Amino acid sequence: MSNFLVIVCMPISGSVEASMNAKNANGVAFSDGRFVPVGEAKISVLDWGFSRSDVTYDVVHVRDGSFFRMDDHLARFERSMLGVRLTAPHSMAEIASIAERCVALSGLRDAYVAMICTRGSPRVFGSRRPQDCDNKLIVYAIPWIDVIPPDVQARGAHLHIASVPRIPPASINPAVKNYHWGDLTRGLFEAHDAGADTAVLLDRDGYVTEGPGFNVFIVRQGEVLTPDRGALEGITRRSVLELCEMLAIPARIAPLRKQDLLSADEMFCTTTAGGVMPVSRIDDHIMSGGKPGKLSSQLKSFYWEQHRAGWHQTPVNYSA
Ligand code: PLP
């Protein structure tokens, strides 16, 4: 496999930067070796990332001008690429500075920053061999996104247990962050049809996995539990487990079934794009009087307090 080589020249020239500044309110992307306003970033229709979902990615957030757990996101992105035999045409150190440059050029203080590696398209026209493809890197920074809108988080999200099972890990490894969202999207449609905000999916044996863009937790008799299978090893999930340890709250990764959700005292979801997001209802089971639970609210506040205290923060150099 020969890799797509791009020489990154940084910083980009003042005039390009100045012309971008007018257009960067919606974010900045790095694609095909250039920094461009996000609306101008393109992917070829022949890229297998588009036609086969042959792609992996990671998302890190910037809050108040600092990356959160950037090293952990880079490490997971590197593992994901290895897991599906993709090789980015840049080193991990270069990817980190490209991401920082996207944020700096956008001027965003709160941002959703994605790094994506696609298979690319074959060098030999018509080849069906993934080894013949030049892998591509795309990075972009866009304004902050909440997977569950803030007003819904404030009242506690309403979840629906989807009838569609999560793709089996033996087919698609959920620990490799991916765009195989067919099952999650079906779950979302089901949830919206049922009047819920979002969905949680079980595996084919009835064990709880995750939802569209988040991990799930329950609280049962003062203990915090998150599923042991079928899910991305979320960085926010790891953060919550660490925060529980700091607060001396018992927490554990364990097998969970549908009935565990339907009898939980509290429930919350976790993601980079939103943090700790309380749930107040799952199907017909209403928790904490239809409001965010006490422990969920405590963990949500503590998560953001720790951000402000500098926990795992890497300040963005906006003049780099
Ligand atoms: N599960 C899925 C399917 C996701 O897409 C995500 C994040 O996008 C998560 C879980 C949460 O992972 P993290 O906390 O690393 O953002």
mmCIF file of all heavy atoms in Angstrom, residues 6 55 75 112 193 240 300:
data_model
loop_
_atom_site.group_PDB
_atom_site.id
_atom_site.type_symbol
_atom_site.label_atom_id
_atom_site.label_comp_id
_atom_site.label_asym_id
_atom_site.label_seq_id
_atom_site.Cartn_x
_atom_site.Cartn_y
_atom_site.Cartn_z
ATOM 1 N N VAL A 6 1.152 14.220 1.936
ATOM 2 C CA VAL A 6 0.853 15.645 1.821
ATOM 3 C C VAL A 6 1.854 16.372 2.680
ATOM 4 O O VAL A 6 2.146 15.950 3.794
ATOM 5 C CB VAL A 6 -0.573 15.936 2.351
ATOM 6 C CG1 VAL A 6 -0.827 17.425 2.377
ATOM 7 C CG2 VAL A 6 -1.606 15.238 1.506
ATOM 8 N N VAL A 55 -14.034 3.595 6.726
ATOM 9 C CA VAL A 55 -13.541 4.828 7.343
ATOM 10 C C VAL A 55 -13.527 4.641 8.855
ATOM 11 O O VAL A 55 -14.322 3.862 9.384
ATOM 12 C CB VAL A 55 -14.495 6.001 6.929
ATOM 13 C CG1 VAL A 55 -15.949 5.677 7.196
ATOM 14 C CG2 VAL A 55 -14.154 7.317 7.610
ATOM 15 N N ALA A 75 -4.902 8.523 20.783
ATOM 16 C CA ALA A 75 -4.524 7.107 20.966
ATOM 17 C C ALA A 75 -5.634 6.189 20.455
ATOM 18 O O ALA A 75 -5.368 5.176 19.791
ATOM 19 C CB ALA A 75 -4.241 6.833 22.441
ATOM 20 N N TYR A 112 -16.489 21.097 18.263
ATOM 21 C CA TYR A 112 -16.553 19.654 17.990
ATOM 22 C C TYR A 112 -15.481 19.434 16.927
ATOM 23 O O TYR A 112 -15.543 20.034 15.847
ATOM 24 C CB TYR A 112 -17.951 19.374 17.457
ATOM 25 C CG TYR A 112 -18.261 18.001 16.917
ATOM 26 C CD1 TYR A 112 -19.107 17.138 17.630
ATOM 27 C CD2 TYR A 112 -17.793 17.579 15.676
ATOM 28 C CE1 TYR A 112 -19.452 15.892 17.114
ATOM 29 C CE2 TYR A 112 -18.133 16.333 15.167
ATOM 30 C CZ TYR A 112 -18.963 15.495 15.891
ATOM 31 O OH TYR A 112 -19.318 14.259 15.384
ATOM 32 N N ASP A 193 -40.692 8.010 16.381
ATOM 33 C CA ASP A 193 -42.074 7.558 16.139
ATOM 34 C C ASP A 193 -42.803 7.299 17.463
ATOM 35 O O ASP A 193 -44.012 7.485 17.567
ATOM 36 C CB ASP A 193 -42.090 6.266 15.297
ATOM 37 C CG ASP A 193 -41.686 6.522 13.852
ATOM 38 O OD1 ASP A 193 -41.648 7.701 13.446
ATOM 39 O OD2 ASP A 193 -41.403 5.533 13.130
ATOM 40 N N VAL A 240 -16.227 9.304 33.394
ATOM 41 C CA VAL A 240 -17.235 9.151 34.454
ATOM 42 C C VAL A 240 -16.772 8.100 35.465
ATOM 43 O O VAL A 240 -16.919 8.297 36.683
ATOM 44 C CB VAL A 240 -18.617 8.798 33.845
ATOM 45 C CG1 VAL A 240 -19.559 8.240 34.899
ATOM 46 C CG2 VAL A 240 -19.223 10.035 33.192
ATOM 47 N N LYS A 300 -22.767 15.168 36.353
ATOM 48 C CA LYS A 300 -22.754 16.171 35.268
ATOM 49 C C LYS A 300 -22.037 17.441 35.744
ATOM 50 O O LYS A 300 -21.149 17.958 35.072
ATOM 51 C CB LYS A 300 -24.199 16.472 34.848
ATOM 52 C CG LYS A 300 -24.327 17.489 33.721
ATOM 53 C CD LYS A 300 -25.817 17.735 33.429
ATOM 54 C CE LYS A 300 -26.007 18.985 32.612
ATOM 55 N NZ LYS A 300 -26.170 18.734 31.197
#
